[in-house]
Amino acid sequence: MTGIRITMAALGATALTLTAAPAMAAQAGITDEVTMTLGKNGTLHVVEKISGSSGELKRTFTTRTRYDDDNDRLYQISNVKGATLAGDVLTMKGDGTVEYDVKGAVTTSGGVEELRWFAVNGWNQQVAKATVKVDGPGQVQNLSCFAGELTSAIGCTSASMNHTATQAEFEQDNLPSGQVLTVVVGYPKGSSEGVPILDRRFSLASAFTLNTVTGAALAGLLVLLLGGVALLYWTRGRDTRVAGHEKGSVDPIQNGHFSPPDGVRPGQIGTLVDEQADVIDVTATIVDLAVRGYLRIDEQPRQTYDAPDWMLVKLPTASVNTLLPYEQALYEAVFDGRDEVLLSQLSGAFATHLGKVRDALYTDVVKQGWFARRPDTERTTWTTAGVVLIGAGLLATVGLAWFTTYGLLGLAVVIAGGALAVGGQYMPAKTAKGSAALAHTLGFREYLFSGELGQVPDQHRVELFSRYLPYAVIFDGVEHWSRVVASVTGDGRKVDNLYWYHGPAEWDLSKFAGSMRTFTTTTSGAISASRQFRSL
């Protein structure tokens, strides 16, 4: 019985040994014999003989690594034989031999030409034994190898060269699936004339690199572009100068009556001064139409917490056919077929007519010969050109930053576009006639605020000072001139109303300054609220 038990035990041990052997063999992994030859053109020809596989083999090549702060290094695989390559994945049906070429594996470092390639990597099975032999176009200057992860600094099992230093040999045992055997061999500079293949990596720091080259290019481009914008303004945007005698003093009183310089109306003056048809020009024109007898302004009675309001009353005796086109457009916009309208009701159809008022004002200043082209069209043209240049600069910035390190040059175009867009607001230029009219206008403003009004007969003071008022609205002097108007009447005595402005029952001229200030503010606000005039 004892002999039987020993025999059975021996048989069991033998069975276990036989069972474990295939398992150990399955875990042993493949054998990879690699032969690499570096040619004169820098192309590395690789032959790999694979044995011991347990089925289909796949290898994922490492074809991109970091080269420096700005670039990645590429390795290009081509001319594959004995396997199929899809992207970076090589597929073999089993044991066999595969050949391929690698470009980009050579770079120059100091006085040495260095071959670096991941001779064994990316296999989906463990590599039990790897041998690598490297032949090159010159004598080996140095060699090294690393095993493990891609960035591993751990040396491989062995590295050596033959006695003539023309062939390098490397070995590595038990390389796990997915890990890398990197071999590095140095040759004399110029041996193969190979160069690395670099792919620029995008980063904001490198895209907008500031160095001697980019700085000089940026400065030169800015000078060129901004100089062009300045030259454009110098040749197109400057007002024509006028002779010194055109700037003489202005006396708007002729035979005791008001005579504006050059016969210029308040709305025209406002457009001439700031080159824009804006809300204050329209407000001043409404006051001017009242002072000249085309309408009357009636202040409405109100309780303590009521909002102030005014009734604009059409005067039937007025001859509207004598109005300038922009004045007639405004007159029609205000009344729109009505004989009277509250200021608070100026909405709806009023807003749709205001665009005509603006167009008529711009057309008028060109007709007067003060501008060669409509100021609004001139601003729009150059501002649009500036915006387009900004867009082109942004596209150029993105393109230059993505593909080069000259992104700053695109920013120069953006800056120039911004300068043109802003400068476009100053491009309308007055003609010599317009500059002369402006000189007279500025002289009138000085006269208006000088306090030296001359000897004006009492019977003309109300009419004269009232005629000043719309111009004071343009020149932001409503408060001052409202007090002047309120201080006199036709016979030198205070009265309750003016011929063009009526107050409620409890109102008198002592309140006119406050009423006029509120009226102009409210009217400008009502016009600003109209969509057609908001952006003037």
Side-chain angles (χ1 to χ4, degrees):
M1 290 292 293
T2 302
I4 295 174
R5 289 195 186 99
I6 294 173
T7 301
M8 292 295 291
L11 290 173
T14 301
L16 287 173
T17 301
L18 294 174
T19 303
M24 292 177 64
Q27 293 177 357
I30 61 175
T31 298
D32 191 355
E33 298 177 18
V34 184
T35 301
M36 304 195 306
T37 305
L38 180 60
K40 280 289 187 180
N41 59 356
T43 299
L44 181 66
H45 182 69
V46 183
V47 178
E48 294 189 50
K49 183 178 179 181
I50 310 298
S51 60
S53 66
S54 58
E56 184 180 70
L57 289 170
K58 287 184 180 294
R59 177 180 180 180
T60 303
F61 285 109
T62 297
T63 57
R64 178 185 291 266
T65 61
R66 185 180 186 278
Y67 183 75
D68 56 24
D69 291 340
D70 299 324
N71 299 282
D72 285 339
R73 183 175 180 179
L74 304 183
Y75 299 86
Q76 295 178 349
I77 312 297
S78 61
N79 301 325
V80 177
K81 298 177 182 179
T84 58
L85 181 67
D88 294 337
V89 179
L90 183 79
T91 303
M92 298 179 63
K93 295 181 179 179
D95 292 352
T97 300
V98 59
E99 298 183 36
Y100 54 87
D101 292 334
V102 182
K103 290 184 178 181
V106 179
T107 186
T108 300
S109 179
V112 177
E113 189 175 272
E114 181 184 89
L115 166 66
R116 177 182 291 265
W117 176 236
F118 316 107
V120 180
N121 85 294
W123 288 108
N124 62 343
Q125 296 183 27
Q126 175 175 298
V127 179
K129 182 75 173 181
T131 59
V132 181
K133 294 181 180 181
V134 183
D135 291 304
Q139 285 193 323
V140 176
Q141 303 296 298
N142 57 65
L143 56 81
S144 60
C145 61
F146 309 96
E149 299 297 330
L150 183 63
T151 57
S152 173
I154 300 174
C156 61
T157 302
S158 68
S160 62
M161 67 180 77
N162 63 7
H163 66 283
T164 59
T166 57
Q167 186 180 75
E169 299 180 356
F170 306 90
E171 291 186 5
Q172 177 62 36
D173 297 328
N174 300 319
L175 189 67
S177 171
Q179 292 197 354
V180 183
L181 170 61
T182 303
V183 298
V184 181
V185 183
Y187 294 99
K189 186 177 181 180
S191 296
S192 72
E193 300 180 352
V195 293
I197 301 172
L198 302 181
D199 184 33
R200 182 173 172 271
R201 187 189 320 108
F202 176 78
S203 69
L204 287 178
S206 62
F208 297 94
T209 299
L210 180 61
N211 52 36
T212 304
V213 175
T214 59
L218 174 63
L221 190 58
L222 279 175
V223 169
L224 180 64
L225 293 175
L226 295 181
V229 173
L231 181 63
L232 185 64
Y233 174 76
W234 185 263
T235 56
R236 289 287 300 268
R238 286 192 313 145
D239 295 341
T240 303
R241 294 188 177 187
V242 298
H245 64 79
E246 296 283 0
K247 302 179 182 180
S249 61
V250 175
D251 185 0
I253 303 176
Q254 303 292 334
N255 300 322
H257 293 280
F258 174 73
S259 178
D262 300 327
V264 179
R265 303 280 169 78
Q268 294 173 317
I269 282 184
T271 307
L272 175 66
V273 170
D274 61 10
E275 301 171 347
Q276 296 194 56
D278 50 27
V279 294
I280 198 65
D281 302 334
V282 176
T283 300
T285 300
I286 291 176
V287 176
D288 186 51
L289 291 176
V291 171
R292 287 161 51 202
Y294 289 93
L295 60 90
R296 189 179 71 247
I297 302 172
D298 292 348
E299 184 175 338
Q300 301 300 292
R302 60 191 178 97
Q303 300 299 321
T304 303
Y305 298 104
D306 290 344
D309 205 353
W310 292 262
M311 181 73 75
L312 305 182
V313 181
K314 182 189 296 185
L315 299 182
T317 57
S319 178
V320 296
N321 294 330
T322 61
L323 294 175
L324 295 176
Y326 82 89
E327 293 176 322
Q328 191 161 5
L330 178 59
Y331 190 82
E332 293 173 356
V334 169
F335 291 109
D336 195 26
R338 301 166 292 195
D339 291 331
E340 58 183 24
V341 61
L342 287 171
L343 184 63
S344 60
Q345 294 176 342
L346 287 183
S347 59
F350 179 68
T352 62
H353 290 302
L354 285 176
K356 297 179 181 178
V357 179
R358 176 189 59 191
D359 289 340
L361 264 172
Y362 283 128
T363 300
D364 182 85
V365 295
V366 175
K367 184 178 180 181
Q368 296 292 334
W370 298 337
F371 295 90
R373 293 166 293 276
R374 284 179 49 139
D376 59 330
T377 302
E378 195 78 352
R379 278 191 299 271
T380 300
T381 298
W382 293 110
T383 301
T384 301
V387 171
V388 170
L389 190 58
I390 290 173
L394 290 174
L395 291 176
T397 300
V398 172
L400 290 171
W402 188 261
F403 296 106
T404 72
T405 60
Y406 291 87
L408 288 175
L409 301 188
L411 293 181
V413 179
V414 173
I415 293 171
L420 183 59
V422 174
Q425 300 301 308
Y426 304 94
M427 288 304 292
K430 300 178 186 67
T431 61
K433 185 177 180 180
S435 296
L438 179 63
H440 294 170
T441 296
L442 297 179
F444 175 48
R445 182 173 64 180
E446 292 178 6
Y447 170 85
L448 196 62
F449 292 103
S450 67
E452 299 178 3
L453 303 179
Q455 298 298 320
V456 181
D458 289 344
Q459 65 271 23
H460 296 306
R461 288 196 169 193
V462 171
E463 184 264 344
L464 178 63
F465 294 162
S466 292
R467 292 294 301 275
Y468 280 145
L469 188 57
Y471 298 87
V473 173
I474 293 294
F475 298 138
D476 196 24
V478 173
E479 184 77 20
H480 171 71
W481 274 105
S482 296
R483 294 185 186 279
V484 173
V485 172
S487 66
V488 297
T489 64
D491 56 5
R493 293 181 295 106
K494 292 183 178 180
V495 295
D496 291 339
N497 293 299
L498 296 170
Y499 69 92
W500 59 274
Y501 191 100
H502 291 180
E506 70 281 2
W507 187 89
D508 60 48
L509 281 181
S510 65
K511 301 177 182 178
F512 177 71
S515 294
M516 201 67 218
R517 181 181 64 250
T518 306
F519 173 77
T520 55
T521 302
T522 305
T523 303
S524 296
I527 296 170
S528 297
S530 300
R531 188 176 306 169
Q532 294 279 343
F533 244 73
R534 186 182 300 274
S535 59
L536 290 182

